Amino acid sequence: MSQFYQNQRAMRTQRQAALQRGIIGILDIGTWKIGCFVLRFDGVAGNALGDGIGPMAGQSRFRVAGVATTRSRGVKFGEIDRMEETERAVRTAVQAAQKMAGVRVDHVIACFSGANPRSYGLTGSVELHESGVSERDIARVLASCEVPEYGPDRQVVHALPVNFALDHRSGLSDPRGQIGNRLSVDMHMLTVDTHAVENLLHCIKRCDLELAGIASSAYASGVSSLVEDEQELGAACIEFGGGTTGLSIFIRKHMIYTDAVRMGGAHITSDISKGLQIPMALAERIKTRFGGVEATGMDDREMIEIGLETGDWEHDRREVSRADLIGVMRPRVEEILEEVRARLDAAGFEYLPSQRIVLTGGGSQIPGLDGLAARILGRQVRMGRPLRIQGLPQAATGPDFSSAVGLCLHAAHPQDECWDFEVEAERYAGRSLKRAVRWFRENW
Amino acid sequence: MQPLKAERRDPAPSRTAYRIQRLWLTPLFRLLLRVGLPVLVVLGPMFWYVTDEARVDDLRVRIGDLRNSIEQRPEFMVNLMRIENASDEVAEDIREVTAIDFPVSSFDLDLTEMRLRIEELDAVARAELVVRSGGVLEVTVRERIPAIVWRARDALELLDGDGHRVSALDSRARRADLPLIAGEGADRAVPEALELFAAAGPVAGRLRGLLRIGERRWDLVLDRDQRIMLPEIEPVAALERLLALDAMSELLRRDVAAVDLRDARRPILRLGPQAIEFLNAVVRPGDGDDT
């Protein structure tokens, strides 16, 4: 337990150090595109905005200074496959974003969708020595969680307390100061393959950047595209990415489950490419221009010209109807959704009080997807777009930027304050020194 | 076989380009380049030039030449000195003191220093020096006007109203129009002496001069070696009182050797020998015979 405690804390301090400097980069490494945002934090205190305006989960504190996207290279299933190529793509994105922002980025927070995320629920409980719950008790209960054996080549990315219970009262978000005898915690822990993280780390190092944190892109899209009551009451965010489809379940503003289906928009494109015997680039263009999942009578008559340059006239001058295209795409989309449903069922999503499903990610722009998803997932489905944040250009407000926007929100308002607790409790000497320094500052 | 299309360039920046861009976005580096580099470009060659002695000397010589050539232009040359408001002797003295060999460049003339030197002359109260166009150095002089003759210990000297020396005088007769003072330190009390002379108008015909006694007070000397010993404080008032007394009683015409006015309460007379005799005969007729 203590080792990942240290990890989480190290990541948190690193991110806070980056925030101190005011400039932080957001790197969304996807299978199809790599997006880079440059955030500028200008330190407006959250509560200083005026009457009735809250801190807005930290959104008011930063603005997006630079945005760049580039086609991703060397990434497969959301994992780095060819380091050199990915490094180039990252360089392209970072350089363009830096140029737009006019500042140099040193710290980046990255998210990726692959690497087999797996969720674990942990519980821990301690007896309280005193009647009230102190910060030290929270640190103790966090440290008391039993960590399952998640394998030698796996690594913890998120570990957050979801729920605190005091004696028989459950559902506490902050038990500090409350009276009870026994404090227990439910924690959600997410592990990913170590090699993917290490590759990412190496790749970012090679771009002269420093990694100030990593997140799962399913988590990031959930943060940005679920509205507040959905996050509170329970909802699943399904992110249709290029190589993987991530899903994250939120309740009480905390993520409780994450998984990823290793299929995505790239597979649909490759199906089209195989089915229509056209190159991938053309298949991608046809998919984005004419794609859909619900065939109607009109679609039988709508013919799509396939302009090829192979030299075989008959082959090049073919025309396919839109219904044919839909016929190729739909089985794959159905397969993905079936798989997602299986994951949701495995996670016990139907026992949540509210079962809203939000579709986001670049792949969710397929027309008619919400109808198909409603049929397969059987629940209330809506299309999700990321929250609007300050300074974001119009071109980057689509659902394909939901994980990047979510990562911005995560950087501005991370939910891992709980990892500070033990620091305060353990190093009392350091704290008194800090107090002495503060006294000096205030009095001189 | 050649590919039909030119190979597409990799859109990604090379590592070097990427690093250069990041370097360029570093604030310190930008500052260094924006400020440091121009400063280096300006100061570097200067420093390189200055480090070599020969080059600096050469530069110095060339600057000197240039300066000379400008200074020696006819527009800046001064050819003659014109002295205004001065008598011939003083003008002669001024020429001697300034000692300029014309023509000279106006850059080489130190007018302030020359003015001070001219004003050091006793006969000159103030001098103004202006270089006029046409190469004329104009010296406007205000001479000291002799107001008094001072018989010093070994010579006669002319003093102006402030007691400043104007010139020596070979004989009193040459300036018989001026009053005479004598005695040690008399020159330091010339204004007072002039006031006294003004006040002594009624006895001007008999006045021989003022004698400074002990560097603190005056004796007014009349003919017949008659002395009026004036007090240290307010001598003019004392003199006026005496003159009033004289107008009434013709005191000074009598045989009085000295009138001592130093005691403000009463004048004290010292009688002449005849007067004493007369007094003895008149006041105490028997006394003389008895003794």
Side-chain angles (χ1 to χ4, degrees):
Chain A
M1 184 73 193
S2 69
Q3 189 238 332
F4 94 62
Y5 211 116
Q6 298 292 339
N7 273 352
Q8 292 290 314
R9 225 153 53 189
M11 213 184 275
R12 179 167 165 77
T13 48
Q14 214 166 5
R15 184 175 49 235
Q16 274 172 341
L19 291 189
Q20 282 286 313
R21 303 185 59 175
I23 297 289
I24 196 162
I26 296 295
L27 207 54
D28 172 22
I29 298 181
T31 315
W32 267 109
K33 72 163 173 48
I34 289 182
C36 179
F37 288 6
V38 178
L39 303 188
R40 178 177 276 136
F41 285 81
D42 29 22
V44 179
N47 294 327
L49 286 170
D51 226 15
I53 304 174
M56 301 207 297
Q59 294 164 43
S60 51
R61 279 174 56 216
F62 66 88
R63 59 178 294 114
V64 179
V67 175
T69 48
T70 183
R71 198 185 64 183
S72 182
R73 299 154 65 177
V75 181
K76 265 187 187 167
F77 300 116
E79 297 158 25
I80 293 171
D81 186 47
R82 277 167 296 153
M83 186 81 72
E84 283 280 318
E85 290 284 293
T86 312
E87 187 200 324
R88 282 197 191 121
V90 169
R91 277 208 309 256
T92 316
V94 170
Q95 187 179 41
Q98 280 184 150
K99 193 171 177 183
M100 180 170 162
V103 290
R104 175 183 162 151
V105 175
D106 286 320
H107 296 267
V108 293
I109 297 180
C111 76
F112 56 94
S113 53
N116 293 315
R118 202 170 298 157
S119 279
Y120 297 87
L122 316 180
T123 56
S125 65
V126 287
E127 295 290 336
L128 297 179
H129 301 314
E130 300 145 18
S131 54
V133 179
S134 64
E135 297 194 345
R136 195 181 307 179
D137 292 325
I138 292 176
R140 267 172 54 221
V141 76
L142 288 177
S144 74
C145 289
E146 264 182 53
V147 180
E149 202 55 50
Y150 48 74
D153 52 353
R154 305 279 293 172
Q155 192 175 336
V156 178
V157 179
H158 295 269
L160 290 174
V162 176
N163 182 30
F164 287 99
L166 198 56
D167 296 338
H168 57 277
R169 286 190 300 137
S170 184
L172 306 174
S173 57
D174 189 356
R176 274 180 290 173
Q178 302 198 33
I179 312 294
N181 294 317
R182 184 170 188 80
L183 179 69
S184 50
V185 66
D186 296 317
M187 192 145 73
H188 169 245
M189 182 176 85
L190 178 69
T191 64
V192 293
D193 289 342
T194 305
H195 69 86
V197 176
E198 274 171 2
N199 283 349
L200 180 70
L201 200 66
H202 188 63
C203 181
I204 283 170
K205 273 264 152 56
R206 283 176 64 123
C207 296
D208 304 333
L209 300 169
E210 264 189 66
L211 195 63
I214 49 173
S216 155
S217 68
Y219 169 67
S221 353
V223 166
S224 70
S225 42
L226 295 183
V227 296
E228 204 171 339
D229 58 329
E230 286 169 346
Q231 284 184 11
E232 180 69 35
L233 297 173
C237 173
I238 295 168
E239 190 211 10
F240 280 81
T244 55
T245 299
L247 69 120
S248 55
I249 301 176
F250 279 72
I251 191 166
R252 300 161 61 77
K253 303 212 171 142
H254 283 291
M255 180 173 68
I256 55 166
Y257 181 79
T258 309
D259 209 338
V261 177
R262 284 166 81 80
M263 273 186 288
H267 296 85
I268 301 172
T269 307
S270 98
D271 283 350
I272 295 168
S273 167
K274 285 171 191 160
L276 304 182
Q277 297 178 7
I278 51 175
M280 284 288 269
L282 186 59
E284 177 67 19
R285 209 181 71 224
I286 287 176
K287 179 185 85 172
T288 50
R289 276 192 67 185
F290 305 104
V293 288
E294 295 284 355
T296 59
M298 178 69 181
D299 292 329
D300 283 331
R301 293 191 297 280
E302 187 179 342
M303 302 305 284
I304 303 165
E305 276 192 27
I306 300 171
L308 283 177
E309 289 180 352
T310 55
D312 181 349
W313 198 87
E314 292 290 341
H315 184 71
D316 289 353
R317 294 296 113 195
R318 271 179 306 147
E319 282 188 341
V320 293
S321 69
R322 186 155 179 245
D324 289 340
L325 179 67
I326 289 170
V328 174
M329 286 173 70
R330 184 174 169 119
R332 180 63 84 172
V333 176
E334 277 176 347
E335 190 189 355
I336 294 171
L337 289 172
E338 297 279 2
E339 194 70 28
V340 167
R341 179 180 180 169
R343 303 291 166 100
L344 284 178
D345 286 347
F349 182 62
E350 65 257 45
Y351 303 116
L352 291 190
S354 155
Q355 286 148 15
R356 181 65 65 87
I357 288 175
V358 176
L359 301 174
T360 184
S364 71
Q365 289 163 307
I366 302 172
L369 180 70
D370 48 345
L372 185 64
R375 203 170 305 154
I376 291 172
L377 302 172
R379 294 182 178 100
Q380 328 148 18
V381 174
R382 74 169 180 94
M383 310 303 295
R385 293 169 76 84
L387 207 74
R388 294 300 298 267
I389 54 175
Q390 234 183 339
L392 196 67
Q394 180 66 34
T397 54
D400 40 346
F401 283 88
S402 60
S403 58
V405 172
L407 208 53
C408 296
L409 298 179
H410 172 65
H413 184 65
Q415 292 182 311
D416 52 0
E417 300 90 349
C418 52
W419 299 115
D420 279 348
F421 287 158
E422 207 184 36
V423 184
E424 299 285 329
E426 263 181 358
R427 300 173 56 192
Y428 194 74
R431 201 169 129 210
S432 67
L433 190 71
K434 216 182 274 172
R435 263 169 50 192
V437 169
R438 201 175 58 208
W439 183 86
F440 257 91
R441 273 218 192 118
E442 282 168 1
N443 289 283
W444 292 91
Chain B
M1 277 248 297
Q2 276 187 329
L4 290 174
K5 284 185 192 165
E7 200 151 311
R8 272 187 60 189
R9 212 178 61 81
D10 191 346
S14 66
R15 280 180 89 84
T16 330
Y18 175 74
R19 285 205 173 130
I20 287 172
Q21 196 229 14
R22 283 176 64 79
L23 188 66
W24 180 239
L25 287 174
T26 310
L28 185 67
F29 178 78
R30 283 187 90 128
L31 188 75
L32 211 67
L33 219 62
R34 217 183 58 232
V35 179
L37 196 70
V39 167
L40 192 75
V41 163
V42 171
L43 292 187
M46 272 185 176
F47 185 72
W48 168 81
Y49 196 88
V50 163
T51 43
D52 191 348
E53 195 68 33
R55 270 196 300 268
V56 176
D57 285 347
D58 182 47
L59 187 72
R60 220 169 263 157
V61 166
R62 273 206 304 222
I63 288 174
D65 286 352
L66 188 69
R67 199 187 152 82
N68 253 352
S69 71
I70 291 171
E71 284 177 1
Q72 299 301 329
R73 290 177 71 82
E75 290 87 344
F76 295 121
M77 295 308 279
V78 174
N79 294 318
L80 60 100
M81 175 150 69
R82 192 164 64 215
I83 298 169
E84 308 258 337
N85 300 345
S87 60
D88 292 344
E89 296 152 51
V90 174
E92 203 58 41
D93 285 347
I94 288 172
R95 279 179 210 285
E96 201 173 300
V97 161
T98 50
I100 307 170
D101 14 334
F102 294 101
V104 66
S105 167
S106 61
F107 287 98
D108 295 338
L109 291 176
D110 185 351
L111 294 183
T112 315
E113 196 261 345
M114 272 163 57
R115 183 173 64 81
L116 291 178
R117 224 173 328 142
I118 290 171
E119 284 180 353
E120 270 174 25
L121 290 175
D122 287 327
V124 178
R126 226 177 61 214
E128 279 173 23
L129 277 78
V130 182
V131 176
R132 299 263 177 222
S133 61
V136 178
L137 175 64
E138 191 181 272
V139 183
T140 312
V141 173
R142 216 183 66 213
E143 282 192 55
R144 290 186 195 281
I145 301 156
I148 212 159
V149 179
W150 178 36
R151 190 184 295 280
R153 188 177 290 272
D154 46 6
L156 273 175
E157 276 176 1
L158 284 171
L159 304 183
D160 72 351
D162 298 329
H164 198 281
R165 182 183 181 278
V166 177
S167 65
L169 189 67
D170 38 11
S171 85
R172 170 78 176 102
R174 279 191 59 182
R175 295 306 298 261
D177 55 326
L178 294 181
L180 176 78
I181 55 174
E184 200 75 17
D187 56 334
R188 289 195 288 278
V190 168
E192 200 180 45
L194 289 173
E195 275 176 49
L196 286 171
F197 280 121
V203 289
R206 294 184 56 205
L207 189 62
R208 284 186 53 195
L210 278 169
L211 179 65
R212 188 76 169 161
I213 306 292
E215 297 192 25
R216 62 187 172 86
R217 65 172 197 86
W218 294 105
D219 268 7
L220 189 72
V221 181
L222 303 177
D223 57 359
R224 292 198 278 121
D225 216 10
Q226 210 170 31
R227 285 185 179 225
I228 298 169
M229 296 153 92
L230 295 170
E232 204 173 327
I233 306 158
E234 299 196 341
V236 179
L239 181 62
E240 276 167 355
R241 274 203 305 277
L242 174 71
L243 292 175
L245 191 64
D246 177 49
M248 220 157 56
S249 60
E250 299 193 325
L251 173 70
L252 296 176
R253 276 181 52 201
R254 301 174 189 224
D255 184 14
V256 174
V259 182
D260 189 348
L261 298 175
R262 289 176 293 179
D263 188 347
R265 285 170 297 181
R266 66 188 80 85
I268 298 166
L269 307 183
R270 193 195 304 153
L271 303 181
Q274 288 173 3
I276 291 175
E277 251 171 58
F278 179 72
L279 191 65
N280 284 343
V282 171
V283 176
R284 287 173 289 187
D287 286 3
D289 301 335
D290 291 346
T291 48

